[in-house]
Structure formats: C-alpha cells, structure tokens
Amino acid sequence: MEINNKKEIGQLPYEKLALLGISREKADNMPEEVKRKLANGEVTPLLQVSISAQNGDVITLPMKLQAVTDANGKAALLAYPVRAVLEVERHRDLRLTDQEAERLKQGEVLQKSLDINGEKTKQYLQLDPETKSIIHRKVTDVQLEQKLKDMEKVNDIELGTQQKQQVREGKAIELNVGGEKVSVGIDLKEPQGFKVIKGDLKEWERQQKLRYDDAHPEYVGLVMTDKNRWEYQQVVNRQSQERAIKLNHKETENKGLKR
C-alpha cells in the first residue's frame, strides 16, 4: 500500500526568507529536504536565522518555518521560535486552559472555537515537540471530510461514524487495510494537515513526539557556515534559545512574519 502525504512542489517564498537574513542564493543552497518541505507548505527542520530588531540589533536564533497563504491568498511565512517549554501566556489569543495546555504537551490535537483578529473560527491546535510552539489551523482548511472520502475510495474501505467523529475531534485512529495496520489523523506539521502512516497507534504516538535531534543527537540545527553552505551543527546554542524566548512578538509581525 502506498502512503502519500505530499503535495505538488511550489516556489520558495524568497521575499519572506530575505527578512530572516536568508538571501535567494542562500535559499537555493538549502538542502533539498528543507527546500522541499518549505515549498510544499510543510514545517521545516530547525534553521538558524537572523532578524533585525527595532533597536538595530541583529538577533540570531533557531526556528522552524512554514510557508502558507493568508486569508487574502497572499504568501505568508509562519515562524516557530525555539522555546524551552510551552509558554501559555504567549498564546493569549488561543485562551488555553491548564487542562488544554497539558493535553497539548501530551501530544494531543485539540479542536477549539477561537476569535482571532476579529474572525470566529474553529481551529485545530497542536504542539510542535521541538520548538514548543503551538501550530494552529482552521478546521475548514484541513478539508478533512474530503480526505476521509478519498482514503475510503482508494483503499476500498468504509469508516464507521464513530471513527470519523474521532478523527474530526483530532484523535488518531487505527485501521486494518489489506492486512496491514494503518493509522490516520490530524497532523498540522503536514501541508494538508492530515497524515497516514503504516503502523499502529503506538507508532503514531512515537512519530508525533519524535524530535529530529532525538534521532540525530549530533545535530541541533541547520546553520550557514563559513564555507557558505548549510550544515547541521551544534551551533544553535543556549544563547540563541534564550534570545528566541525574549523575541518580541510585535517585532516579528512588523517584519511580515507570523507565529
């Protein structure tokens, strides 16, 4: 059985990347894995970037990036700076309760009605395990109903009402497809917000909590070196993380980024 979580590759958001000190040349020299994720609308691995603060200082810090389109169809870039822990106070617009924050820390995907920038919508919320930032997306943007129909048609199966409701609520479900165990569910790190994997729910949970540096302890982040190329090195240090925590949300927005 073939599992495909990809979509057609688009163009890199060069203008937005330039705001982070990543020129067109540097962007084109990124590893193919990173360029593919960015062009596909997926969340990238950690990248060390540079942002000019209002006082003129240049702040270097590690973050993940995701290319998206805003409500008007214009290109935008979501930035997920690294933080030591989930800082609920930095997500006031999500109005998280203590219980919801704890569920996010445990790797659950939540569905919540929110009022963001004057627009009331239902959103899926998910915690990225590396950056401790909350990724969120409109429920309607995920187009879940169509994805479930497509999956049923391709695999010649029929999901029960309870199974479909579990997926709508953000819970992963386990299926038997052609004698193989398959797990499906919401994953906002994917460009379409939905993922299918080979394996049971334990494998789903393992992959959802997997950090890149757990699998590759020699790596911390992807940085530009003196050799003028991108390399994984332990250069994304504690100081960068401290600066990431202190980065002012308004400064980032003023530079055309979102987080």
Side-chain angles (χ1 to χ4, degrees):
M1 180 188 64
E2 181 179 356
I3 294 176
N4 184 9
N5 290 307
K6 308 301 179 189
K7 72 175 186 178
E8 184 180 354
I9 294 178
Q11 187 180 32
L12 294 178
Y14 291 110
E15 292 184 6
K16 302 299 183 183
L17 290 171
L19 299 173
L20 299 173
I22 302 176
S23 65
R24 177 180 285 263
E25 180 182 3
K26 290 180 179 179
D28 287 338
N29 287 330
M30 286 180 174
E32 290 301 320
E33 171 199 1
V34 178
K35 289 194 293 185
R36 177 183 58 77
K37 285 181 176 293
L38 193 57
N40 280 350
E42 299 177 55
V43 178
T44 70
L46 286 173
L47 300 172
Q48 183 161 289
V49 304
S50 299
I51 296 177
S52 297
Q54 290 181 331
N55 62 4
D57 290 344
V58 176
I59 302 173
T60 301
L61 70 162
M63 63 172 58
K64 291 185 177 184
L65 303 175
Q66 183 180 23
V68 298
T69 53
D70 61 21
N72 299 317
K74 295 182 179 179
L77 196 62
L78 297 180
Y80 305 111
V82 171
R83 306 194 187 284
V85 295
L86 168 60
E87 299 178 9
V88 176
E89 64 274 13
R90 287 186 175 273
H91 299 279
R92 293 190 185 95
D93 55 340
L94 303 182
R95 305 194 317 276
L96 293 175
T97 65
D98 291 342
Q99 183 182 30
E100 289 170 336
E102 188 58 36
R103 289 175 61 191
L104 288 170
K105 292 176 185 178
Q106 296 301 317
E108 293 187 39
V109 175
L110 307 183
Q111 185 181 142
K112 187 178 176 74
S113 295
L114 298 172
D115 187 340
I116 298 180
N117 298 325
E119 182 183 9
K120 293 183 178 180
T121 60
K122 283 189 176 180
Q123 304 251 345
Y124 285 121
L125 280 65
Q126 181 177 352
L127 183 67
D128 179 75
E130 284 184 300
T131 63
K132 299 299 188 295
S133 294
I134 297 177
I135 305 171
H136 59 92
R137 190 180 302 185
K138 291 181 184 177
V139 169
T140 52
D141 288 348
V142 177
Q143 298 181 346
L144 181 60
E145 301 302 322
Q146 186 59 50
K147 291 179 174 60
L148 291 176
K149 288 180 182 179
D150 292 343
M151 190 183 68
E152 288 179 316
K153 182 177 180 180
V154 170
N155 297 292
D156 193 24
I157 60 175
E158 184 175 352
L159 298 181
T161 302
Q162 185 176 0
Q163 289 175 314
K164 290 181 180 179
Q165 186 59 32
Q166 285 180 307
V167 179
R168 293 185 189 107
E169 293 172 355
K171 300 181 179 69
I173 61 171
E174 181 181 312
L175 305 172
N176 190 309
V177 179
E180 292 184 275
K181 286 186 177 180
V182 173
S183 296
V184 302
I186 301 295
D187 186 351
L188 302 185
K189 298 189 296 299
E190 297 291 334
Q192 69 275 41
F194 184 78
K195 185 165 71 172
V196 182
I197 69 163
K198 291 181 180 180
D200 57 16
L201 287 177
K202 288 185 178 180
E203 176 61 17
W204 174 277
E205 292 175 3
R206 187 190 73 82
Q207 290 194 23
Q208 292 301 91
K209 295 179 181 179
L210 185 66
R211 294 163 50 102
Y212 188 89
D213 55 0
D214 285 341
H216 302 273
E218 70 275 20
Y219 297 152
V220 175
L222 193 62
V223 301
M224 279 294 292
T225 68
D226 293 338
K227 302 172 186 177
N228 196 33
R229 65 178 183 227
W230 291 90
E231 295 181 353
Y232 278 108
Q233 289 190 356
Q234 291 183 341
V235 178
V236 183
N237 55 23
R238 185 181 303 275
Q239 182 181 13
S240 294
Q241 293 189 21
E242 290 174 352
R243 286 181 175 178
I245 293 174
K246 295 176 182 178
L247 180 65
N248 185 279
H249 176 61
K250 187 174 181 179
E251 291 175 359
T252 307
E253 284 188 331
N254 288 342
K255 290 299 179 180
L257 301 176
K258 298 181 179 180
R259 68 180 180 92

